[in-house]
Amino acid sequence: MALLRPPVLLLALVVSELHGLPWFINVSESQGPGAVLYSFPINCTSYVPTLELLYVRPPTTFFNPPSLNRQQQTYTAMVTLSSSARLDALAVNHYRLQLRLTCGKKVLEAPLSVNVHRDPGYSPCASQFANPGGEIIQVRETVPPGAQLYTLLLPGLQLQRAQLSINSAQDPPYFPGPFSINGQGWLLAPSQGLKGHAPKVFPLEVLVSFGQNQSCHRMLKVKVLPDPSSQISFLGQAPNITILEDLAPGSNVVQVRARGLDVRYEIFSPVPCPLFSIGREDGMVRTTAPLELAPARGMAVTRLQVKAYERRRPWASVDLDVTVNVRSVNRWPPRCLPAMLVTEIPETTPVGTVLKTFTCTDPDSAGSPLDYELQFHSPPGPASLCLRGRALEVNATLDCDTPGACFQHAASILVLDGGQPPMTSEVPVLVMVTPVNEFSPACVPRTFRIREDAGPHTLLGSVVGTDKDYPHNSIEYYISGGPTTFSVDRLSGEVHLLGSLDYELQTLYRLTVLVTDHSQDQHPTQRRSGSCTITIEVEDVNDYAPKCQPPFQELTIYAPLGHSVEVTKVSCWVPQEPQRRAFSYSIVGGNSQSRFSLQGPILVHKSITWGPHWPEQPHTYELLIRVADAGPSIPHLSTTATVIVHLIPWSTSTVTTRTHRSPVPSVMTPLLVTDVEAFWQPEPWFVVVLTVTSALFLLALGWLFSRLFQGLAQMLQTPSKSAQALLLNSIQGTEESIEGFTEAPRTEMPRAPSSVVSLHFDGRAQDSRTGREYLFNTLTGARRWL
């Protein structure tokens, strides 16, 4: 019956997308052993494919392992039935075969479904009767009567309730009695036994009936053998001899011996026997031709059937199987292509990459299997390469980024054949791992500080670059753009100052440093770069001392009792560095009795109270004020300002305010000094009151003149109460106006009479307990509450 071959089956083992597609073929149950169920080509040109039968469901031995035959550039795979195959659609009508194809690294699996269908014209026992002569069974003449000789029931016939019977005649005297078949399909010996019927052959025709009008015939021959105890027999077991193929023709192989009278020997299978012969009388088996296995692999094993018989009784014979194994003689070691492997691979080669597939053959035995073994010479550590079959592959990650890790792998592939004596070929292998520039270098941003007075070629510090590729220090440094004031050493990364710095012009520099690796790749042009930013901070250095304007002052101040007076403010700066404003001020000379202090740049005359230290006369102080840098910059430079203070104690007299110029040395800048003196300036309301009072006074004076002679004496001795009150109010208004003014125009007022001064309150204070203010006279101590 023709086999089905769907087109999709051709691609199922070579196209992974069709890997899961099932195959279906239909076969007839009439297919016998050795029948080809299915064949298909395999396209695997770069490798030697293998096709395996993993399993069969349901389990059976009806199928042979798949075979592969090469035809030019393609292979043909075939699935055949084994010698034990007996297909029966009624017993099992579906088989599932799991196949695996290996083509290099590609492994594919696919199922093959075999559907067995019925054949109406086929008899399930036909395969058993394929031999026209029938089957021959041998039994001893000493078997007991009715003994089981043979099983006739075929597989699958039990399900069909088959019936077996002997259809041929069994007439005496040739037959000792009839052979019979029982219900279990066993052939039984005649009830009379077979004693004395050696060496007869009894032909039996067996009829097998099953189903409706279905039957088949089977020819069975029973050969009766003589009793070995009373007849000829071989000495020892069946020999299994191994010889070498270089054995010369006519050489002895093995000698067989049989017990009997006048025994003769002959080889009855195979006939003719071109390689061996046996001596008729001595039983010595000898070679008759050269044993060359290379052209004919079928000569490796020869099974000889030797018969020993008595010359006078030829029918009294015995058979012996002699197995002769011819072993090839190893004269040549295996030959490999290539005979030597020298290659370079980058360190980034993936694991599993095939470097080379070796093709080796044995000249003594073409096609014989060879063993491959990989031996390492250097390095002796864990293997980075491995041998899978005939392919040399990368076994582990190749890393050149650690010291001593990137090196040459020296090894040898030993190819061993299976001959005697075993011979070996060695294929030298040298695999050089080359570095690959995988990572970009990097550096850490840094900050350097440098004084602005640092000279050229001053070392600021170093930029440290790192690289994961080996060697880790193969880095060059460059400055990308930026000012030319700084430079970086190309090899060490040291940053140097080339020019001069000025804190007042620029206080901060930012440089981009490029780090570029080198000598880390097989190709010198394969370089990687990274960058980082370094910051350079310029530290201020005092180049100029501060200057004060003016450097010399002469002042006249009045010191009131119990009050502090601000004398002047020292104004200093650095003309070349106007941003610098932090200064420290201290009085270094002329501050006798510590009457002056500094509140920052302000010179203050301390308040004093009435006592022995109260200055009664004007006094001149020549103060030296030191002005120095107060910031973090060093060194701290300073200058000295001179302030001459004319101190005049407080006077109750009303004085004029005048402005005069103090003589200044020619080397100094002229200074305009303003001298403030106290004077009496009545307020406007007081002027009005005074005017009205004066008018009333004049009226009263006219009236008084009328009584001139009457009250002149009284008027001179005791002034009227209204005049005293008016004078007192006038004095109070004068005192309040004096305390309120700070500056007055340059006018002069006439001094009051001495009688009025005696009643003047020249001080004003506040009671510490009640907080109430009052006026007092410093000479008499008189008080007047406000």
Side-chain angles (χ1 to χ4, degrees):
M1 179 178 178
L3 301 180
L4 300 178
R5 301 170 183 258
V8 74
L9 300 181
L10 180 61
L11 301 176
L13 289 175
V14 294
V15 181
S16 61
E17 288 76 9
L18 301 179
H19 173 266
L21 185 65
W23 300 355
F24 294 90
I25 61 174
N26 297 321
V27 297
S28 173
E29 64 180 355
S30 61
Q31 296 292 331
V36 178
L37 299 182
Y38 186 68
S39 64
F40 53 92
I42 296 177
N43 185 13
C44 184
T45 58
S46 301
Y47 303 91
V48 177
T50 60
L51 184 62
E52 303 171 81
L53 176 59
L54 300 180
Y55 57 84
V56 180
R57 297 288 185 274
T60 183
T61 59
F62 289 177
F63 302 92
N64 289 321
S67 60
L68 288 176
N69 297 320
R70 183 170 183 175
Q71 296 178 356
Q72 295 181 356
Q73 298 298 325
T74 61
Y75 292 82
T76 301
M78 290 191 300
V79 180
T80 59
L81 292 176
S82 66
S83 59
S84 63
R86 301 291 187 271
L87 299 179
D88 188 358
L90 295 178
V92 178
N93 61 3
H94 178 79
Y95 295 93
R96 186 175 182 270
L97 286 67
Q98 187 70 17
L99 303 179
R100 176 192 289 168
L101 172 64
T102 303
C103 181
K105 291 185 178 180
K106 195 169 185 179
V107 178
L108 302 174
E109 293 186 9
L112 175 62
S113 297
V114 179
N115 296 323
V116 182
H117 61 85
R118 293 276 297 165
D119 187 356
Y122 170 70
S123 174
C125 56
S127 59
Q128 300 290 342
F129 300 97
N131 186 2
E135 292 187 20
I136 300 176
I137 61 174
Q138 297 179 351
V139 297
R140 298 289 181 183
E141 63 179 355
T142 57
V143 296
Q148 177 185 348
L149 303 180
Y150 188 70
T151 301
L152 290 171
L153 191 58
L154 303 177
L157 296 182
Q158 292 177 344
L159 300 176
Q160 305 177 41
R161 298 181 180 180
Q163 297 179 358
L164 294 90
S165 60
I166 298 176
N167 221 19
S168 59
Q170 303 184 55
D171 299 333
Y174 189 80
F175 282 83
F179 293 84
S180 62
I181 301 174
N182 64 5
Q184 296 178 345
W186 294 350
L187 178 65
L188 304 179
S191 58
Q192 294 80 7
L194 297 175
K195 191 67 174 178
H197 289 273
K200 290 183 179 181
V201 176
F202 300 100
L204 301 175
E205 183 179 354
V206 180
L207 175 63
V208 181
S209 301
F210 56 93
Q212 296 181 354
N213 300 325
Q214 294 186 4
S215 63
C216 62
H217 294 79
R218 180 177 185 183
M219 183 59 67
L220 185 64
K221 296 180 179 180
V222 180
K223 182 178 181 180
V224 182
L225 301 177
D227 184 8
S229 60
S230 60
Q231 301 296 330
I232 187 171
S233 62
F234 279 101
L235 301 177
Q237 300 293 330
N240 193 327
I241 304 301
T242 301
I243 61 176
L244 299 178
E245 67 171 340
D246 59 349
L247 202 62
S251 300
N252 295 337
V253 177
V254 65
Q255 186 179 21
V256 296
R257 301 298 298 274
R259 182 190 300 112
L261 298 176
D262 198 6
V263 179
R264 297 292 185 266
Y265 304 90
E266 69 176 8
I267 298 176
F268 68 90
S269 179
V271 177
C273 185
L275 299 178
F276 304 95
S277 64
I278 190 171
R280 289 178 57 84
E281 298 180 357
D282 60 359
M284 179 63 71
V285 179
R286 299 178 177 88
T287 60
T288 58
L291 305 176
E292 292 290 339
L293 295 180
R297 298 299 302 173
M299 296 187 304
V301 178
T302 303
R303 183 173 289 103
L304 304 175
Q305 290 185 341
V306 179
K307 181 173 69 173
Y309 60 92
E310 294 180 355
R311 184 175 63 85
R312 294 185 179 183
R313 299 176 59 197
W315 62 86
S317 64
V318 65
D319 299 336
L320 180 68
D321 291 337
V322 178
T323 303
V324 180
N325 301 295
V326 181
R327 180 178 298 174
S328 62
V329 178
N330 230 9
R331 295 187 293 265
W332 305 99
R335 296 177 182 176
C336 297
L337 186 69
M340 181 177 62
L341 176 63
V342 178
T343 184
E344 289 183 355
I345 58 174
E347 65 171 325
T348 55
T349 303
V351 176
T353 301
V354 177
L355 303 182
K356 193 67 178 179
T357 300
F358 297 89
T359 303
C360 300
T361 57
D362 189 358
D364 298 318
S365 178
S368 61
L370 301 174
D371 295 330
Y372 298 81
E373 180 180 347
L374 180 62
Q375 291 185 350
F376 284 91
H377 303 312
S378 65
S384 297
L385 306 175
C386 68
L387 192 65
R388 300 187 187 277
R390 299 180 295 110
L392 182 64
E393 298 180 0
V394 177
N395 188 45
T397 302
L398 306 175
D399 189 7
C400 293
D401 298 330
T402 56
C406 200
F407 34 57
Q408 296 179 349
H409 295 270
S412 296
I413 296 179
L414 300 181
V415 185
L416 300 89
D417 58 15
Q420 289 295 331
M423 303 193 73
T424 304
S425 293
E426 181 178 358
V427 180
V429 175
L430 181 61
V431 179
M432 293 172 286
V433 182
T434 59
V436 176
N437 196 358
E438 302 176 79
F439 307 99
S440 298
C443 56
V444 179
R446 298 194 59 186
T447 300
F448 301 110
R449 301 178 185 275
I450 184 172
R451 292 166 54 92
E452 68 172 336
D453 59 349
H457 308 293
T458 299
L459 174 63
L460 281 75
S462 299
V463 180
V464 180
T466 58
D467 195 346
K468 295 181 180 179
D469 294 308
Y470 184 81
H472 305 298
N473 58 351
S474 295
I475 298 176
E476 295 179 354
Y477 302 84
Y478 303 92
I479 292 181
S480 176
T484 58
T485 311
F486 304 90
S487 69
V488 61
D489 189 87
R490 184 176 62 89
L491 299 179
S492 64
E494 295 180 349
V495 181
H496 294 270
L497 175 65
L498 296 181
S500 59
L501 301 173
D502 192 347
Y503 179 84
E504 289 69 36
L505 297 179
Q506 188 170 354
T507 61
L508 188 69
Y509 295 86
R510 297 186 186 276
L511 306 178
T512 300
V513 178
L514 297 179
V515 286
T516 305
D517 56 16
H518 63 88
S519 304
Q520 293 177 337
D521 197 282
Q522 178 73 4
H523 305 285
T525 58
Q526 296 294 331
R527 307 179 69 177
R528 291 177 175 267
S529 300
S531 65
C532 62
T533 301
I534 62 173
T535 303
I536 301 175
E537 298 179 356
V538 181
E539 295 181 350
D540 189 17
V541 176
N542 285 343
D543 301 319
Y544 309 97
K547 293 183 178 180
C548 298
Q549 184 65 31
F552 176 85
Q553 299 185 53
E554 184 175 0
L555 305 170
T556 299
I557 64 171
Y558 292 87
L561 185 64
H563 292 275
S564 297
V565 178
E566 178 180 332
V567 179
T568 186
K569 181 178 180 181
V570 181
S571 178
C572 301
W573 70 94
V574 179
Q576 296 81 2
E577 300 176 12
Q579 75 279 2
R580 186 177 300 170
R581 294 293 184 181
F583 300 105
S584 62
Y585 303 86
S586 60
I587 301 175
V588 297
N591 189 14
S592 61
Q593 297 180 357
S594 300
R595 291 188 178 275
F596 297 89
S597 64
L598 286 171
Q599 297 178 1
I602 300 175
L603 179 63
V604 178
H605 178 262
K606 297 180 181 180
S607 63
I608 58 176
T609 58
W610 179 261
H613 298 289
W614 174 261
E616 297 180 357
Q617 299 296 328
H619 188 75
T620 300
Y621 296 87
E622 185 175 351
L623 303 177
L624 300 179
I625 300 176
R626 180 180 179 270
V627 183
D629 294 310
S633 303
I634 55 174
H636 294 290
L637 303 180
S638 64
T639 188
T640 303
T642 303
V643 179
I644 297 177
V645 181
H646 301 285
L647 179 63
I648 299 176
W650 174 263
S651 175
T652 57
S653 300
T654 301
V655 295
T656 61
T657 301
R658 65 185 181 277
T659 301
H660 62 86
R661 295 182 180 271
S662 300
V664 181
S666 60
V667 295
M668 297 183 181
T669 303
L671 176 64
L672 181 62
V673 179
T674 302
D675 187 7
V676 180
E677 294 183 0
F679 68 96
W680 180 56
Q681 180 183 2
E683 295 184 7
W685 65 270
F686 182 74
V687 175
V688 174
V689 173
L690 183 60
T691 303
V692 173
T693 305
S694 300
L696 294 176
F697 176 74
L698 292 177
L699 292 175
L701 185 61
W703 178 75
L704 290 177
F705 271 113
S706 65
R707 299 179 65 184
L708 178 60
F709 298 104
Q710 299 176 9
L712 179 59
Q714 182 180 358
M715 194 174 181
L716 292 174
Q717 295 176 2
T718 305
S720 65
K721 293 181 181 181
S722 61
Q724 293 180 5
L726 181 61
L727 181 60
L728 179 59
N729 290 337
S730 175
I731 294 173
Q732 292 176 356
T734 303
E735 177 64 23
E736 291 177 359
S737 63
I738 291 175
E739 291 179 357
F741 78 90
T742 55
E743 292 185 359
R746 291 185 295 175
T747 57
E748 295 185 0
M749 299 292 294
R751 291 182 179 270
S754 59
S755 60
V756 177
V757 173
S758 61
L759 298 177
H760 176 63
F761 294 95
D762 57 359
R764 184 172 182 172
Q766 185 179 24
D767 186 70
S768 59
R769 185 175 60 84
T770 63
R772 186 177 178 184
E773 294 182 349
Y774 60 89
L775 300 177
F776 64 91
N777 191 299
T778 56
L779 297 180
T780 62
R783 293 187 181 186
R784 184 178 183 276
W785 294 96
L786 297 179

